[in-house]
Amino acid sequence: MARRKKKVGRYPGGLILFSMTVALFLIGFCGLLALQSKRLVTYIRENYEVRVFLDRDIDSAKAEPVYKKIVARPYVLTANGQPQVNFVSRDAAAREFIAETKEDFKTFLDDNPLHDSYRIRLAEDYFEEAKLQAVKKDLEAIDGISEAVYQENLVDTINRNINKIYIVMTGFAVVLLLIIVLLMNNTIRLALYSQRMLIRSMQLVGATNGFITRPFLLRGLWQGLLAGLIASGLLVALQQAAVYNLPELAVLQEPVKIAMILGALVVLGMLIGFVSTYQAVHRYLGVSLDELY
């Protein structure tokens, strides 16, 4: 039986494909985790409320001008063209208070001491203690508003924790990327080790370096493309499974940015495959015969 002829650029690629797919999946997972974390932070900030209490003697006719002045402020969040300002009557506030505390103040008070109020959601850029203080002062300067309140010091605490999380995640992602690139480079180099004699034989018969390198580079690009597509598919499946089991995660999804991450994975896979293959092949092109053995 005739021995099968070995073809340039053909080498055991299953290990490379598997390793690259796992590596890209981990990189993509870190990217999705960072994206979801950023969206979660934005969601928390945009749902943070400042409560504005109106004067006790104000009526509905006077409350309308107050509302118009509030929604005209630049720090008020706008979603789908609507300012995020909600009116809460004193009766509704009383019901909320009783539901939360389980104590009915109406049993020992003849009057409802609570005020009508507006609950204002702020733009993300104003999620800082200094800016919130300025917002509070600006709101209290509006005629008809008795007080503006928010949970002081909570914002700075949240921002500090968020910054710590970002630093840890960034450091972890950078270290992971470096480790993965080094591992992939070594894996491809080991896979090409079996082709070193074939490369030297082609050099001896006069083949140029470009002719020898081309099929290996094409194989590296193809493996990177395939690994990127598989890793992207696994990430999409993981994401859909997470949303299916936790429907609350749907508000954190950003399809355009997710698509950009998946596209970047494919490009990164092709880049790693090309560069690592190029380095490995050129290493064997430049070694002496003694070093090959």
Side-chain angles (χ1 to χ4, degrees), residues 164-176:
K164 290 178 182 178
I165 292 172
Y166 279 160
I167 291 173
V168 172
M169 288 184 62
T170 301
F172 176 75
V174 171
V175 172
L176 178 64

Side-chain angles (χ1 to χ4, degrees), residues 149-168:
V149 299
Y150 67 93
Q151 290 181 282
E152 297 185 13
N153 301 322
L154 176 64
V155 173
D156 281 346
T157 301
I158 293 175
N159 283 333
R160 283 196 298 269
N161 291 333
I162 289 172
N163 290 334
K164 290 178 182 178
I165 292 172
Y166 279 160
I167 291 173
V168 172

Side-chain angles (χ1 to χ4, degrees), residues 146-280:
S146 64
E147 186 182 14
V149 299
Y150 67 93
Q151 290 181 282
E152 297 185 13
N153 301 322
L154 176 64
V155 173
D156 281 346
T157 301
I158 293 175
N159 283 333
R160 283 196 298 269
N161 291 333
I162 289 172
N163 290 334
K164 290 178 182 178
I165 292 172
Y166 279 160
I167 291 173
V168 172
M169 288 184 62
T170 301
F172 176 75
V174 171
V175 172
L176 178 64
L177 181 61
L178 290 175
I179 292 174
I180 286 172
V181 170
L182 291 175
L183 287 176
M184 287 308 307
N185 188 53
N186 289 333
T187 300
I188 292 176
R189 181 177 296 180
L190 288 174
L192 287 173
Y193 181 78
S194 62
Q195 297 281 291
R196 68 193 190 286
M197 293 303 180
L198 181 60
I199 291 173
R200 175 47 58 93
S201 298
M202 295 188 67
Q203 284 182 310
L204 292 176
V205 298
T208 62
N209 288 347
F211 180 83
I212 298 172
T213 305
R214 191 178 302 113
F216 290 105
L217 295 181
L218 292 176
R219 183 77 181 274
L221 283 173
W222 168 248
Q223 288 177 328
L225 173 63
L226 189 58
L229 292 175
I230 295 174
S232 298
L234 292 174
L235 285 171
V236 171
L238 178 64
Q239 180 202 24
Q240 293 301 315
V243 173
Y244 177 79
N245 289 282
L246 290 173
E248 295 81 3
L249 294 177
V251 298
L252 304 180
Q253 305 309 309
E254 295 182 278
V256 175
K257 293 184 178 180
I258 291 175
M260 292 174 62
I261 290 177
L262 299 181
L265 274 186
V266 175
V267 174
L268 180 62
M270 296 176 66
L271 183 62
I272 292 176
F274 181 88
V275 173
S276 297
T277 302
Y278 180 85
Q279 291 178 340

Side-chain angles (χ1 to χ4, degrees), residues 88 92 275 285:
V88 180
V275 173
L285 286 174

